[in-house]
Amino acid sequence: MRDILLYGVCGGVLIVALKLTEYRFLVLEHSVELYVALVAALFAGLGIWLGLTLTRKKPTMIIKELPAQAAEPLVADETCVSQLGITARELEILGLIATGLSNREIAGRLFISENTVKTHSSRLFDKLGAKRRTQAVQIGKSARLIP
Amino acid sequence: MRDILLYGVCGGVLIVALKLTEYRFLVLEHSVELYVALVAALFAGLGIWLGLTLTRKKPTMIIKELPAQAAEPLVADETCVSQLGITARELEILGLIATGLSNREIAGRLFISENTVKTHSSRLFDKLGAKRRTQAVQIGKSARLIP
DNA sequence: TGCAGAATCACCCAAAAGAGTGACGACATC
DNA sequence: GATGTCGTCACTCTTTTGGGTGATTCTGCA
């Protein structure tokens, strides 16, 4: 939600900037080449930033078949973890969620605040693309993040 | 879902900007502005493409479902089911809970009311001795009620 | 035929979970 | 020293979940 507003505001700002530079161009008679180059560089930078931002934590998922139970909870682990940018703390909390603990119980077990657990789980759900903790557990099991 | 809205907003902003410049071009006969807008859009696209391409070093995320599961989910099933008195409908709902669905989604899938799903899940949790649905899923998996 | 179990649904209420934002300190990195 | 990441915590707000009660309908079975 914040990102949408952010991008909308950025787009509006850029449009305004564009008109402003157009106005300046008409008034001050800058050279066309300089103006075009500025706009091109500006939008190129915008595009790069946009692309980087949009794809930073949302990698495209490709469903891939793996043969069978090789019983390796650490091999695909690090792959997926580095892929999605899941931290060790978030993975730890995912494991505790999978055992059926509530946020308060997790907080008591890890000696941290319940709000912290919520923050971790929120970011974890965002990275996993899950809306509920049960879904996060399901995705985590599918991705072999948790045994 | 958020990304879709994101791209929609960005695309809309770009289109609006483009049409604005086109309109001005048609009215005021300013071919420079159209040219600039085209260059801007072009470089924005180029920047997005660059950002996407340069960071696409690891695009595939592995999600797998174990296909070689020769185990039978019906042997220990009936034992525990008859033991705990879990009905078929409750077991069905347990399976849907384990996939990460919410009560509302389960209700929509089974064409029943959300209240009914809550009633079933409540009785199910009572029979399983679970306090949360994640715990119910964990217990159900341990008891081989669900694969 | 009546009865038990089941499935269904509604209502209220409290607790838990989740979204969003903002902030701070530690730590590594450039 | 600036920057970025991570872990931590707090706050408000909405949604979801779960408990509890009561009711209706539809079965299968005694």
Side-chain angles (χ1 to χ4, degrees):
Chain A
M1 183 57 67
R2 179 186 56 180
D3 294 334
I4 299 174
L5 291 175
L6 196 64
Y7 289 129
V9 167
C10 288
V13 165
L14 279 172
I15 291 175
V16 168
L18 185 65
K19 290 179 183 174
L20 223 62
T21 48
E22 282 176 5
Y23 176 71
R24 279 203 205 147
F25 162 69
L26 289 175
V27 170
L28 299 178
E29 293 288 326
H30 282 327
S31 76
V32 181
E33 289 82 7
L34 177 62
Y35 173 61
V36 168
L38 276 177
V39 169
L42 189 67
F43 272 80
L46 165 72
I48 290 178
W49 173 76
L50 214 59
L52 286 176
T53 306
L54 289 179
T55 59
R56 187 177 35 160
K57 288 186 178 180
K58 296 286 186 180
T60 56
M61 285 195 175
I62 294 181
I63 298 178
K64 181 179 179 181
E65 288 284 332
L66 285 185
Q69 288 282 59
E72 296 275 344
L74 290 183
V75 177
D77 235 15
E78 299 168 4
T79 308
C80 296
V81 164
S82 61
Q83 211 88 50
L84 297 172
I86 297 178
T87 67
R89 200 59 158 169
E90 290 164 355
L91 197 63
E92 187 179 8
I93 283 179
L94 175 61
L96 292 177
I97 286 177
T99 65
L101 296 178
S102 68
N103 288 336
R104 189 164 301 173
E105 291 166 343
I106 294 174
R109 180 166 303 197
L110 297 181
F111 303 104
I112 58 178
S113 166
E114 185 180 347
N115 294 306
T116 306
V117 178
K118 284 180 161 187
T119 303
H120 283 315
S121 57
S122 278
R123 287 203 279 247
L124 177 68
F125 298 160
D126 188 48
K127 290 171 183 173
L128 287 179
K131 291 180 181 58
R132 282 163 292 281
R133 46 178 47 215
T134 48
Q135 198 177 359
V137 168
Q138 171 71 14
I139 295 174
K141 281 184 184 298
S142 299
R144 312 257 272 65
L145 296 178
I146 46 181
Chain B
M1 180 57 68
R2 180 182 301 179
D3 292 333
I4 299 175
L5 290 174
L6 234 62
Y7 286 117
V9 168
C10 291
V13 165
L14 279 176
I15 289 175
V16 165
L18 196 61
K19 289 199 171 181
L20 222 61
T21 51
E22 281 178 3
Y23 174 73
R24 280 206 187 161
F25 163 69
L26 287 177
V27 171
L28 301 178
E29 298 285 329
H30 281 167
S31 62
V32 179
E33 291 176 353
L34 175 63
Y35 172 61
V36 165
L38 282 176
V39 168
L42 185 68
F43 272 82
L46 174 66
I48 289 178
W49 176 79
L50 271 178
L52 287 176
T53 307
L54 293 180
T55 58
R56 192 73 70 84
K57 35 188 201 294
K58 297 179 290 182
T60 59
M61 158 75 190
I62 302 171
I63 280 193
K64 93 159 204 50
E65 200 49 53
L66 26 142
Q69 199 74 323
E72 57 277 53
L74 291 182
V75 177
D77 237 14
E78 300 168 4
T79 308
C80 295
V81 165
S82 61
Q83 206 90 38
L84 298 172
I86 297 178
T87 68
R89 200 58 158 170
E90 290 163 356
L91 198 62
E92 188 179 7
I93 284 180
L94 175 61
L96 292 177
I97 285 177
T99 66
L101 297 178
S102 69
N103 289 336
R104 189 164 302 174
E105 291 167 343
I106 294 173
R109 181 167 301 196
L110 297 182
F111 304 104
I112 59 178
S113 166
E114 186 180 345
N115 296 304
T116 308
V117 178
K118 289 168 88 173
T119 304
H120 284 314
S121 57
S122 280
R123 285 204 283 250
L124 178 68
F125 297 161
D126 189 48
K127 290 171 183 173
L128 287 177
K131 291 180 176 57
R132 281 163 294 280
R133 44 177 51 211
T134 48
Q135 199 177 358
V137 169
Q138 172 71 14
I139 295 174
K141 281 184 184 296
S142 298
R144 309 285 237 104
L145 295 177
I146 46 181

